[in-house]
Amino acid sequence: MASEDVKSESAVSKIVNLAEEAKLAREGVTAPSHAVLSICKSLIAGGVAGGVSRTAVAPLERLKILLQVQNSHNIKYNGTIQGLKHIWRTEGFRGLFKGNGTNCARIVPNSAVKFFSYEQASKGILQLYKQQTGNENAQLTPALRLGAGACAGIIAMSATYPMDMVRGRLTVQTENSPYQYRGIFHALSTVLREEGPRALYKGWLPSVIGVIPYVGLNFAVYESLKDWLIQTKPFGLVQDSELSVTTRLACGAAAGTVGQTVAYPLDVIRRRMQMVGWNNAASVVIGDGRSKTSLEYTGMVDAFRKTVRYEGFGALYKGLVPNSVKVVPSIALAFVTYEVVKDILGVEIRISD
């Protein structure tokens, strides 16, 4: 009886497909290939995953950046709870989400490209691996997943880096800042006019170096944990070779924790380099127009050296606590949302095609 239902559904699906293709042919429109639909599905799922995950933790993301770049001689944000309270008291509810619109405008295409690039890089690397080993049944190892994730991270980050740069500056603005960027396009045009096009890629090098372990480990740990759980089936967490949403959230949380801890110092240096050349950076960061430390760095190594010399090694981990609190649900939500949306889109595509 069940097999008859399956056959019936398959027949209906084929009839719908043929009818749709005939309609498109009459209208002179070429039916999109399954490859194109698959690409669109991956991009949409990745974009939704990025937007949902970042918006959910936007207040912690803003606090992290403020802690990373604030003037060490004028501390306004001293810890996660105190920092969030200070933002709420001085800027209100909207202050908690300042810069989130820019972040979503950046993270949606970034996440879409990242997830899609990871899928394509994984396929390409696996194909090469099978050819080299002569084993058609070979599977991706954690090291190969790390490589695919690193490729995806570099591609996605480079494609959307100017948005990340201006997002950092918009995020650290306060109501008392003497100079205000009015939005994404105003910030982009102002930086181009006053600092030149190269300024949009300030901090790119530490970002590239940092994204390799961060994104690479995220994907490698997440996929490897999933495979291990499916193969070993510990504690009854796996049912019919499928992981529950809760288990996948836990895998994503573990992946995020490992990745962000390894790459965090490079994220701090990136943010500080993004402030270089901004005439009002010091006043924006401390909010009252006074500056007692130089914001000038000649490069990544100089930024590391000055940060450690003037503020100590611990300065490389400023904002780690709110980042740790936000990165676990953020990465977990991103992975799970991506898979759930892909499943939903997969069902819709099969029915409507």
Side-chain angles (χ1 to χ4, degrees):
M1 189 72 181
S3 63
E4 290 179 1
D5 290 340
V6 172
K7 289 178 181 178
S8 176
E9 290 177 5
S10 177
V12 170
S13 178
K14 287 179 180 178
I15 292 170
V16 171
N17 288 339
L18 290 171
E20 186 66 23
E21 289 175 6
K23 178 184 175 184
L24 290 171
R26 286 196 303 271
E27 296 173 354
V29 180
T30 303
S33 67
H34 288 289
V36 173
L37 288 173
S38 179
I39 291 171
C40 293
K41 181 174 72 171
S42 294
L43 290 173
I44 292 170
V48 173
V52 169
S53 63
R54 289 309 174 98
T55 301
V57 296
L60 291 166
E61 175 70 12
R62 186 182 182 218
L63 177 61
K64 178 201 76 171
I65 295 175
L66 288 168
L67 287 168
Q68 286 178 335
V69 302
Q70 74 173 336
N71 193 314
S72 60
H73 294 278
N74 193 324
I75 302 296
K76 289 182 177 291
Y77 309 97
N78 189 19
T80 305
I81 303 300
Q82 182 275 335
L84 291 173
K85 285 182 177 179
H86 181 78
I87 294 172
W88 176 274
R89 186 172 62 254
T90 57
E91 301 180 59
F93 179 78
R94 290 183 64 184
L96 294 172
F97 289 87
K98 184 170 286 185
N100 186 55
T102 311
N103 195 25
C104 286
R106 174 193 70 91
I107 202 63
V108 169
N110 178 283
S111 187
V113 172
K114 181 170 63 180
F115 277 103
F116 174 70
S117 298
Y118 176 74
E119 288 191 350
Q120 299 306 307
S122 296
K123 291 175 183 177
I125 290 172
L126 180 58
Q127 190 62 33
L128 289 173
Y129 184 59
K130 286 179 178 179
Q131 290 176 0
Q132 289 182 352
T133 59
N135 180 11
E136 286 300 316
N137 296 320
Q139 298 295 321
L140 285 172
T141 64
L144 293 177
R145 287 196 177 107
L146 180 64
C151 290
I154 291 172
I155 293 169
M157 184 273 300
S158 298
T160 58
Y161 192 79
M163 295 293 290
D164 182 68
M165 192 270 188
V166 299
R167 191 266 297 205
R169 294 192 176 187
L170 284 166
T171 299
V172 300
Q173 288 185 157
T174 68
E175 298 300 324
N176 297 323
S177 301
Y179 184 84
Q180 295 279 340
Y181 288 128
R182 295 192 296 271
I184 303 171
F185 297 109
H186 180 248
L188 284 169
S189 61
T190 302
V191 172
L192 279 171
R193 185 176 64 254
E194 295 182 355
E195 303 173 49
R198 290 184 62 185
L200 294 174
Y201 281 88
K202 284 178 178 177
W204 179 82
L205 181 58
S207 297
V208 168
I209 298 173
V211 85
I212 293 172
Y214 181 64
V215 179
L217 283 170
N218 278 349
F219 279 110
V221 172
Y222 180 72
E223 296 290 346
S224 297
L225 268 177
K226 276 176 56 184
D227 286 352
W228 177 76
L229 288 171
I230 290 172
Q231 289 171 8
T232 60
K233 296 181 172 59
F235 313 114
L237 294 173
V238 181
Q239 311 243 337
D240 299 325
S241 297
E242 289 291 332
L243 296 177
S244 67
V245 171
T246 304
T247 304
R248 282 184 283 174
L249 280 169
C251 291
T257 301
V258 173
Q260 67 96 24
T261 302
V262 172
Y264 194 77
L266 286 158
D267 189 53
V268 172
I269 296 303
R270 171 182 64 148
R271 289 296 173 205
R272 295 191 168 205
M273 290 181 70
Q274 288 176 347
M275 303 298 131
V276 174
W278 186 11
N279 294 331
N280 296 280
S283 60
V284 167
V285 172
I286 65 176
D288 56 10
R290 298 196 307 274
S291 176
K292 297 182 181 179
T293 58
S294 172
L295 284 166
E296 294 300 320
Y297 305 115
T298 59
M300 182 181 71
V301 175
D302 184 55
F304 266 109
R305 183 171 54 81
K306 286 181 177 177
T307 298
V308 173
R309 175 188 292 178
Y310 297 125
E311 301 176 54
F313 184 78
L316 295 175
Y317 286 90
K318 280 185 175 180
L320 180 63
V321 173
N323 191 62
S324 298
V325 173
K326 70 99 181 171
V327 82
V328 171
S330 177
I331 297 296
L333 276 171
F335 278 118
V336 174
T337 303
Y338 176 71
E339 293 188 354
V340 169
V341 173
K342 273 195 72 174
D343 289 343
I344 293 171
L345 290 176
V347 171
E348 291 179 351
I349 287 169
R350 284 194 296 273
I351 291 174
S352 61
D353 282 355

